[in-house]
């Protein structure tokens, strides 16, 4: 069992055992994290206490996820057992739904989680807030789906303001997020579109030099993104949008060897529904919506084309980033290049074709570079995708979906079939 907890002050002498099991989150960012905010989120503003609790839960989940490697017995996707001791303002409220939180985290990451909650002795932080009057918070990752969601949201709001909220993982993505936000403002005629970026990451080492293990899959990172967005939304008591095409959100496995959480399930309708329900039970502000949940990615692209015209839509969508890999930077290629062969890239390419838009995306070219060719062969899901499309949608596939009660199975089946039809354009 891998056991972790969180503390808010750094001891003068940090022992090796404490460095292995405790993550230190201090108001001055002297500890285990790179963060512009303290554990009470005072730099965000007057965040509801239970929402700050949710962020601390998400931070500890993310840090533990990063710090325990999956590789074991020849497999790089081993299930891990993780135990967390989480500081919250009302332990009884969280403890009452402990088993449900553990199950939800298991659904998200595929691991076995054990949670315990204890009273938080939080440091004092001044609250400052810069976004008064926001009618909605929209998560903006820099990917095509979040960009489409933010564009359609601002068009719907008209003169009313929204806040675009970005979590910076790869620092190279930060300028792209700003460029996308600027283009949304131009396309919608929105003046002073608010955009808040935050870089929050676990450091590679503890203050005493202890080096963390580094697990790169981090299936739970988007939970932190959601929790931070909800914290910001709690200030004005507004809804949080996390835009993602419904086909990808269902996380349908491409083959029998891909059962379980191979990619993120953070926008899966069951996960969003349960997260909102459980967070609300603890007293957090948690109205979450995926406005694109009933649409394929091609249908989303078509909506943008119909709204701003084909040329503008092509330019706007091509500037976004959808690739799931960054390893090609070790071969000397820009990290924001698209590999072209991961599921995100293949779905992107199919969506441009399905919406009859020109794709200006820069995909990696293996010409005259055998190292890159070998790298892309290893990363490609094209064969799995062809097999999935060749055999068609089966009842066994639908059984794996774990839909919430309010989501009709017939709607999911129709959505998947439309998404598969778009992917088939890649072979034409």
């Amino acid at each position: 069992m891998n056991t972790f907890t969180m503390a808010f002050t750094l001891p003068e002498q940090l022992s090796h055992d404490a460095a292995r099991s405790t993550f230190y989150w201090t108001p001055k960012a002297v500890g285990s994290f790179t963060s512009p905010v303290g554990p009470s989120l005072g730099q965000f503003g007057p965040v509801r206490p239970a929402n700050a609790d949710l962020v601390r839960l998400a931070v500890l989940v993310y840090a533990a996820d990063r710090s325990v490697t999956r590789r074991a017995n020849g497999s790089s996707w081993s299930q891990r057992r993780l135990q967390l001791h989480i500081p919250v303002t009302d332990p009884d409220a969280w403890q009452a739904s402990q088993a449900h939180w553990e199950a939800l985290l298991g659904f998200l990451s595929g691991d076995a989680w054990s949670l315990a909650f204890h009273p938080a002795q939080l440091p004092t932080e001044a609250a400052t807030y810069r976004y008064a009057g926001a009618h909605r918070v929209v998560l903006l990752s820099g990917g095509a789906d979040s960009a489409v969601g933010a564009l359609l949201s601002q068009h719907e709001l008209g003169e009313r303001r929204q806040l675009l909220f970005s979590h910076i993982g790869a620092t190279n993505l930060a300028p792209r997020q700003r460029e996308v936000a600027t283009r949304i403002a131009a396309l919608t005629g929105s003046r002073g579109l608010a955009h808040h970026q935050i870089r929050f990451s676990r450091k590679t080492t503890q203050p005493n030099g202890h080096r963390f293990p580094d697990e790169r899959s981090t299936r739970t990172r988007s939970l932190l993104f959601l929790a931070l967005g909800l914290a910001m939304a709690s200030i004005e008591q507004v809804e949080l949008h996390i835009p993602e095409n419904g086909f990808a959100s269902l996380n349908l496995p491409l083959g029998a060897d891909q059962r379980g959480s191979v990619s993120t399930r953070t926008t899966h309708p069951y996960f969003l529904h349960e997260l909102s329900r459980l967070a609300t039970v603890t007293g957090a502000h948690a109205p979450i919506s995926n406005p694109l949940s009933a649409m394929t990615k091609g249908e989303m692209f078509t909506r943008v084309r119909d709204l701003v015209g084909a040329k503008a839509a092509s330019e706007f969508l091509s500037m976004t980033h959808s690739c799931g890999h960054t390893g090609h930077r070790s071969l000397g290629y820009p990290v924001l290049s698209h590999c072209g062969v991961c599921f995100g890239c293949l779905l992107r390419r199919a969506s441009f074709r399905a919406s009859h838009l020109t794709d200006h995306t820069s995909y990696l070219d293996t010409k005259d570079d055998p190292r890159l060719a070998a790298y892309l062969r290893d990363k490609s899901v094209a064969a799995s995708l062809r097999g999935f499309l060749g055999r068609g949608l089966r009842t066994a596939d639908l059984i794996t979906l774990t839909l919430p009660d309010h989501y009709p199975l017939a709607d999911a089946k129709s959505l998947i079939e439309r998404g598969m039809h778009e992917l088939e354009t890649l072979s034409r």
Side-chain angles (χ1 to χ4, degrees), residues 162-177:
Q162 67 177 353
L163 169 61
L164 304 183
F165 186 85
S166 297
H167 177 232
I168 303 169
T171 54
N172 289 349
L173 192 57
R176 185 63 53 88
Q177 293 170 343

Side-chain angles (χ1 to χ4, degrees), residues 70 85 88 144 157 169 174 182 184 192 204 238 259 295 401 415 424:
R70 291 186 178 279
H85 295 271
V88 294
L157 289 173
T182 299
I184 290 170
T204 57
V238 296
R259 300 291 179 201
M295 302 173 67
L401 293 181
L415 176 61
E424 287 168 353

Side-chain angles (χ1 to χ4, degrees), residues 76-89:
S76 59
W77 292 105
S78 302
Q79 185 188 67
R80 303 161 300 175
R81 296 179 62 82
L82 300 134
Q83 184 177 59
L84 306 182
H85 295 271
I86 306 154
V88 294
T89 52

Side-chain angles (χ1 to χ4, degrees), residues 294-316:
M295 302 173 67
T296 66
K297 201 180 189 84
E299 290 166 351
M300 289 165 34
F301 282 23
T302 300
R303 282 282 301 276
V304 176
R305 184 198 67 196
D306 293 344
L307 180 64
V308 302
K311 183 176 184 296
S314 175
E315 293 172 350
F316 173 64

Side-chain angles (χ1 to χ4, degrees), residues 101-160:
W101 282 107
E102 292 170 346
L104 188 62
L105 292 175
F107 175 83
L108 178 63
S109 74
D111 299 303
W113 296 85
S114 177
L115 307 181
F117 301 94
H118 62 268
Q121 300 297 321
L122 292 164
T124 301
E125 297 178 27
T128 58
Y129 183 56
R130 295 180 286 162
Y131 305 111
H135 287 81
R136 181 180 293 156
V137 177
V138 181
L139 299 185
L140 182 71
S141 66
D145 292 36
S146 69
V148 171
L151 175 71
L152 297 179
S153 173
Q154 188 59 63
H155 177 70
E156 174 193 335
L157 289 173
E159 295 298 320
R160 292 177 295 167

Side-chain angles (χ1 to χ4, degrees), residues 132-382:
H135 287 81
R136 181 180 293 156
V137 177
V138 181
L139 299 185
L140 182 71
S141 66
D145 292 36
S146 69
V148 171
L151 175 71
L152 297 179
S153 173
Q154 188 59 63
H155 177 70
E156 174 193 335
L157 289 173
E159 295 298 320
R160 292 177 295 167
R161 298 180 61 195
Q162 67 177 353
L163 169 61
L164 304 183
F165 186 85
S166 297
H167 177 232
I168 303 169
T171 54
N172 289 349
L173 192 57
R176 185 63 53 88
Q177 293 170 343
R178 292 192 292 270
E179 292 166 4
V180 169
T182 299
R183 187 65 62 90
I184 290 170
L187 289 172
T188 59
S190 175
R191 297 181 179 178
L193 181 64
H195 180 210
H196 186 95
Q197 292 177 292
I198 177 173
R199 184 186 178 196
F200 194 112
S201 62
R202 190 217 61 188
K203 295 179 179 178
T204 57
T205 61
Q206 289 277 40
N208 70 343
H210 169 79
R211 191 171 189 86
F212 289 113
D214 197 18
E215 170 57 45
R216 304 302 298 176
S217 61
T218 57
R219 300 173 183 177
T220 62
R221 188 176 73 87
S222 293
L223 171 61
L224 175 57
F225 192 13
L226 267 169
L228 289 167
L230 282 172
M232 191 66 83
S234 76
I235 299 171
E236 295 277 357
Q237 300 290 288
V238 296
E239 188 175 47
L240 177 71
H241 278 195
I242 177 167
E244 177 81 12
N245 76 85
F247 176 70
S249 293
L250 290 175
N251 201 248
L252 193 71
L254 299 181
D257 60 334
Q258 292 181 328
R259 300 291 179 201
S261 181
V262 174
S263 60
T264 181
R265 283 177 160 178
T266 318
T267 58
H268 191 286
Y270 171 78
F271 180 79
L272 290 181
H273 178 266
E274 281 296 285
L275 175 62
S276 178
R277 183 182 72 82
L278 292 176
T280 300
V281 166
T282 66
H285 174 79
I288 309 170
S289 173
N290 176 7
L292 308 177
S293 62
M295 302 173 67
T296 66
K297 201 180 189 84
E299 290 166 351
M300 289 165 34
F301 282 23
T302 300
R303 282 282 301 276
V304 176
R305 184 198 67 196
D306 293 344
L307 180 64
V308 302
K311 183 176 184 296
S314 175
E315 293 172 350
F316 173 64
L317 295 168
S318 295
M319 72 186 297
T320 64
H321 185 74
S322 301
C323 186
H325 296 305
T326 59
H328 46 268
R329 63 183 169 185
S330 65
L331 302 177
Y333 292 90
V335 68
L336 292 186
S337 298
H338 284 72
C339 74
V341 297
C342 69
F343 182 73
C345 283
L346 293 174
L347 185 59
R348 178 189 180 95
R349 297 169 81 160
S351 301
F352 272 103
R353 293 190 182 189
S355 57
H356 305 289
L357 290 172
T358 303
D359 186 359
H360 299 295
T361 305
S362 174
Y363 298 103
L364 293 176
D365 186 352
T366 61
K367 184 179 180 181
D368 300 326
D369 191 339
R371 295 185 310 153
L372 179 62
Y375 167 80
L376 293 180
R377 280 196 300 272
D378 179 64
K379 298 299 182 183
S380 178
V381 300

